Amino acid sequence: MFLDSLLGMFSMDMGIDLGTCTTLVCVRGQGIVLNEPSVVAVRKGTNHVLQGGNAVGLVAKEMLGKTPGSISAIRPMKDGVIADFDITEAMLGYFIRKAHSRRSVFGLRPRVVIAVPSGITAVEKRAVLNSAERAGARRVYLVDEPMACAIGAGLPITDPTASMVVDIGGGTTEVAILSLADICVCESIRVAGDDMDESIAAYMKRVYNLMIGEQTSERVKLEIGSAAALEEERTMEVRGRDMISGLPRKTLISSEEVREALKEPIGAIIDCVTRTLEKAQPELAADLVDNGVVLAGGGSLLRKIDQVLANATGLEVKVAEDALTCVARGTAVYLENLELWKKTMESDEHDF
């Protein structure tokens, strides 16, 4: 253990927010050094990553929905967990090498802290640990996303008072109430940003007989999506393939229609938040009347979602500063205090 601590002084330890949509990597003392989509392009039917192993992240995302029969653009993470072990290993290896390009003094492999959804199983945890080890990590520690998120948002989680976070990512929504440096109540559902995109695509099929891709769905959500009525409603031209004629077509949709499409996933997130509050101890619930709720993750940037949650809970709801990077910044704090925290974390020394 002492030797590991000594080696840690010379290696470039890093924290990873291994997300369904985006992976962020921070290096101790340098902050966030990498922010790229969790996408890998491979030769069809193989695990051979294109472009000499470099068709990962931004390069691969450009290929989504546009690949010929010989190439597959894959998102190896599904609902916050590993769906394709080998491709995830290749992706992690690429990100670790890229972030670790400035080698440490002795060329040591880094220790890695990875944030994972709180609701995943022991088998899913082991898959993350094994992937990171085989991708080049010397030692791997897992931390629950809500904990990392709360730390990254600057909440006083070590105090004897309740702090509540709602982390709406790409594959999962994590809701947690924390106090005294631990999670008191937690709910995790596999409904998040990806489900919003799918709901928009399903609405376009149902109402307009227009088939659109996932990148187009995401663009619609970002440009005109909202959880409640806007002061000035918006419209957007959407292009896709007509399901009847099979020909390319475009149509105009409004933000009201997108809001209708998003009702189901937003309703599921609201239900998750209210269930978590119902499980809270009375004293914790009392603290939240004053402390409110903090939103983080990419889904928290959906217009008016804080207002909808405030109306549903009666609490003050605010979006964290730089909500997209809260979890990654939380892992950075863990890295800075690794010796203090690692007894509370899952590591590769544990048996599952």
Side-chain angles (χ1 to χ4, degrees), residues 7-266:
L7 292 173
M9 295 173 62
F10 298 101
S11 65
M12 290 179 62
D13 294 342
M14 59 183 68
I16 300 177
D17 175 10
L18 186 61
T20 305
C21 293
T22 307
T23 296
L24 292 94
V25 179
C26 59
V27 172
R28 187 169 61 181
Q30 297 180 28
I32 293 171
V33 297
L34 186 145
N35 181 352
E36 295 202 29
S38 304
V39 187
V40 182
V42 298
R43 184 70 58 191
K44 187 106 174 184
T46 73
N47 295 322
H48 175 68
V49 182
L50 299 177
Q51 298 180 13
N54 293 321
V56 181
L58 292 168
V59 174
K61 187 174 182 181
E62 293 296 318
M63 304 181 191
L64 276 175
K66 301 177 182 179
T67 55
S70 59
I71 296 172
S72 294
I74 298 171
R75 292 175 59 184
M77 302 294 294
K78 178 72 175 172
D79 296 332
V81 297
I82 294 175
D84 190 313
F85 189 91
D86 293 326
I87 302 300
T88 301
E89 184 183 320
M91 180 179 76
L92 267 175
Y94 172 82
F95 289 148
I96 288 173
R97 286 193 305 274
K98 189 170 181 179
H100 203 242
S101 56
R102 288 176 57 201
R103 304 298 292 178
S104 57
V105 176
F106 301 110
L108 294 171
R109 294 190 301 164
R111 292 183 297 179
V112 175
V113 175
I114 300 180
V116 294
S118 58
I120 68 173
T121 65
V123 173
E124 290 165 339
K125 287 180 180 178
R126 174 51 65 188
V128 175
L129 287 168
N130 289 345
S131 288
E133 281 182 327
R134 290 172 57 177
R138 182 172 89 252
R139 178 152 296 167
V140 187
Y141 300 96
L142 304 186
V143 57
D144 287 335
E145 276 181 14
M147 177 70 79
C149 180
I151 294 172
L155 298 180
I157 64 161
T158 57
D159 295 348
T161 185
S163 299
M164 184 169 182
V165 291
V166 179
D167 178 16
I168 308 172
T172 61
T173 294
E174 305 277 326
V175 184
I177 299 172
L178 306 98
S179 178
L180 295 171
D182 208 349
I183 295 172
C184 302
V185 186
C186 185
E187 281 272 336
S188 177
I189 59 168
R190 297 188 178 188
V191 176
D194 282 353
D195 297 88
M196 295 181 191
D197 297 344
E198 289 169 10
S199 294
I200 292 170
Y203 181 88
M204 295 303 295
K205 281 184 185 178
R206 188 173 66 251
V207 176
Y208 290 100
N209 286 318
L210 189 71
M211 188 174 288
I212 62 174
E214 57 185 85
Q215 293 200 69
T216 301
S217 298
E218 183 182 22
R219 196 159 57 247
V220 170
K221 178 184 68 178
L222 293 175
E223 292 190 17
I224 64 172
S226 69
L230 301 171
E231 289 78 12
E232 184 178 338
E233 300 293 354
R234 308 179 182 195
T235 59
M236 179 180 174
E237 199 173 67
V238 180
R239 297 170 178 84
R241 177 163 59 84
D242 191 291
M243 295 175 64
I244 298 172
S245 69
L247 300 175
R249 179 165 66 86
K250 63 182 180 181
T251 190
L252 197 68
I253 66 166
S254 67
S255 51
E256 294 101 325
E257 292 176 286
V258 177
R259 196 156 54 247
E260 177 66 29
L262 294 175
K263 268 187 177 179
E264 188 175 335
I266 290 173

Side-chain angles (χ1 to χ4, degrees), residues 86 120 137 152 209 223 239 261 273 275 289 335 340 346 348:
D86 293 326
I120 68 173
N209 286 318
E223 292 190 17
R239 297 170 178 84
V273 173
R275 279 199 308 273
V289 173
L335 282 169
L340 179 66
E346 303 284 6
D348 59 0

Side-chain angles (χ1 to χ4, degrees), residues 297-314:
S300 68
L301 302 180
L302 182 70
R303 297 170 188 83
K304 303 281 189 177
I305 194 165
D306 52 341
Q307 180 183 310
V308 167
L309 282 170
N311 292 339
T313 61

